[in-house]
Amino acid sequence: MFKKSTPPPPEMSGQKTPTADTTSPTSSTAGSRSSTPNPGGNTKDAEKLPDGRTPDDSSKLRTFLSILKRFIGVTDIAAVRFSLPAQLLEPIPNLEYWHYLDRPETFVAIGDSEDALGRMLGCLRFWFTKDLKYVHGKPCKPYNSTLGEFFRCQWQVEDSAGSLRGEETKPNLQQTVAAPEGGTTKNKPVKVSYLTEQTSHHPPVSAFYVDCPDKGISACGYDQLSAKFTGTSVKVTPGQYNQGIFVTLHRRDNEEYQLTHPAAFLGGFLRGNLYVSVADTCFITCAKNGIKVILHYLEEGYFGKTQNKVEGVVYKCDVEKDKTTKIKDVPDKDVLGRVDGCWIDKVWFSYGPTEFKKV
């Protein structure tokens, strides 16, 4: 069989292909169509929905609202299985993400002061640096860890954080750093070891232990979160097994400091721009020294810029018997100093019972 041959294309057969007539009314001109929107340009030029939101904002809003509808009436979101948007997931295990050593050098320096108040101030410094991930990073959800999964790591940090009050001593207890026996660790590297394991899957609970033999300091505790949808935000509180962080200074006759966690809020769902805020009261106590700290994270207003303010009081008391939970209820005669500032920026301490004033 033979196929009927087809003539070659015009350009191949030597025929001249007519070009478009730029003078024709049907040709494209500079003003005949709207320009293509610039993805990185002003949102005013972008296509908008009837309610004024951009398509991206609308998509985020629908996604968040569909998730939040499932939380209505739920006492603990941690017990509910649901899918989160990809932009909220962080490809890191839960155990690796939830640690308190964003600044390990502040942890190892807690017990350096010979003064009891100085050691409490060192504990406060560690407290305000343990959550820097929320200051410099975005809110996210790490991957869930399985039962029996563990994570361990080690930091080698320079012992450079000085004492905030009183004489400073940094003895080399283990001789594991480049210092002679009986020497000092000041401005020398020390090792901090961290170990955590998932001890329960439902409810999710993990145990952690931090140790620095060079400085004779350790910390331990259980991590468990409970979350509840409040209508405009998600309130995250410590679970029943989470009693805080327990820091022990072994070279100070085993002084133990208990640091309890405040409630945090995850907001910004309606705008699709999530942020973390804290509005609660927490405590730092040392029964051996008889010193207690009350920290009050102020609630944010509905209007205006976020302040992230914190205020507190440090005072002497019988920690085992003291039931004070409000700053205003602390007698002036027992006050050692006051705390004030912004917990994501700068925090100040002033001695004595006088109300804090910045000049």
Side-chain angles (χ1 to χ4, degrees):
M1 296 180 63
F2 297 90
K3 294 184 179 180
K4 186 177 180 180
S5 61
T6 57
E11 62 271 18
M12 296 181 63
S13 62
Q15 298 178 5
K16 188 174 181 180
T17 304
T19 58
D21 183 5
T22 57
T23 61
S24 171
T26 59
S27 64
S28 176
T29 61
S32 64
R33 58 190 175 93
S34 60
S35 59
T36 303
N38 181 7
N42 195 333
T43 55
K44 293 182 180 179
D45 298 331
E47 181 183 357
K48 292 187 177 181
L49 298 176
D51 58 0
R53 296 191 306 271
T54 63
D56 287 343
D57 292 339
S58 175
S59 176
K60 289 181 181 179
L61 180 59
R62 286 196 301 268
T63 301
F64 285 126
L65 290 181
S66 64
I67 295 174
L68 295 179
K69 284 173 61 178
R70 301 185 58 184
F71 298 158
I72 298 176
V74 177
T75 57
D76 189 358
I77 296 177
V80 180
R81 299 187 65 178
F82 57 92
S83 299
L84 286 173
Q87 64 265 28
L88 291 182
L89 298 178
E90 186 73 13
I92 184 174
N94 201 32
L95 296 178
E96 183 177 351
Y97 184 82
W98 293 109
H99 69 80
Y100 304 108
L101 296 176
D102 291 338
R103 294 289 299 272
E105 72 275 14
T106 63
F107 172 75
V108 301
I110 291 177
D112 287 349
S113 176
E114 294 294 327
D115 182 74
L117 178 57
R119 294 193 291 275
M120 178 58 78
L121 293 179
C123 203
L124 273 171
R125 176 172 57 186
F126 160 70
W127 173 261
F128 287 117
T129 60
K130 71 179 181 61
D131 291 326
L132 290 178
K133 61 174 69 68
Y134 305 118
V135 178
H136 301 294
K138 63 178 182 179
C140 63
K141 172 62 175 70
Y143 291 165
N144 290 333
S145 298
T146 60
L147 181 63
E149 179 181 341
F150 69 91
F151 172 77
R152 60 185 178 186
C153 66
Q154 190 175 80
W155 290 268
Q156 183 166 302
V157 297
E158 184 178 292
D159 189 8
S160 57
S163 172
L164 297 176
R165 173 188 166 93
E167 182 183 355
E168 175 185 273
T169 57
K170 293 177 177 287
N172 181 13
L173 301 181
Q174 296 292 318
Q175 289 82 50
T176 59
V177 297
E181 184 175 355
T184 178
T185 61
K186 186 176 180 63
N187 296 325
K188 292 184 171 63
V190 296
K191 292 183 179 180
V192 182
S193 300
Y194 175 74
L195 173 65
T196 180
E197 180 181 351
Q198 192 76 15
T199 57
S200 173
H201 193 64
H202 291 292
V205 181
S206 62
F208 67 90
Y209 184 77
V210 187
D211 189 26
C212 180
D214 299 331
K215 300 299 299 289
I217 181 174
S218 64
C220 62
Y222 285 97
D223 273 333
Q224 180 195 5
L225 298 179
S226 178
K228 183 177 181 180
F229 181 51
T230 62
T232 57
S233 62
V234 174
K235 182 179 181 181
V236 182
T237 58
Q240 60 176 328
Y241 299 106
N242 190 338
Q243 302 299 316
I245 307 172
F246 294 85
V247 178
T248 303
L249 305 180
H250 301 288
R251 76 181 187 94
R252 299 291 181 185
D253 196 21
N254 291 324
E255 280 183 5
E256 185 178 75
Y257 296 78
Q258 182 181 6
L259 301 79
T260 63
H261 299 287
F265 293 84
L266 182 62
F269 289 100
L270 297 181
R271 295 182 179 180
N273 183 23
L274 299 184
Y275 63 90
V276 175
S277 62
V278 183
D280 197 9
T281 301
C282 63
F283 309 93
I284 302 177
T285 57
C286 179
K288 186 176 289 291
N289 285 338
I291 299 179
K292 180 177 178 179
V293 179
I294 301 177
L295 293 177
H296 179 210
Y297 292 82
L298 276 63
E299 187 174 358
E300 302 291 347
Y302 289 101
F303 304 100
K305 187 178 179 181
T306 303
Q307 300 295 320
N308 295 308
K309 285 183 63 67
V310 61
E311 58 185 23
V313 60
V314 183
Y315 64 101
K316 294 283 292 184
C317 68
D318 186 340
V319 174
E320 301 293 341
K321 298 180 180 179
D322 184 76
K323 303 299 181 183
T324 306
T325 59
K326 296 182 179 180
I327 295 176
K328 65 179 182 179
D329 295 336
V330 178
D332 286 346
K333 63 182 180 63
D334 296 331
V335 175
L336 299 175
R338 297 187 182 275
V339 177
D340 190 275
C342 174
W343 64 271
I344 67 171
D345 187 15
K346 294 180 180 180
V347 178
W348 289 268
F349 175 81
S350 64
Y351 293 100
T354 306
E355 291 294 331
F356 196 94
K357 293 182 180 180
K358 295 191 291 290
V359 293

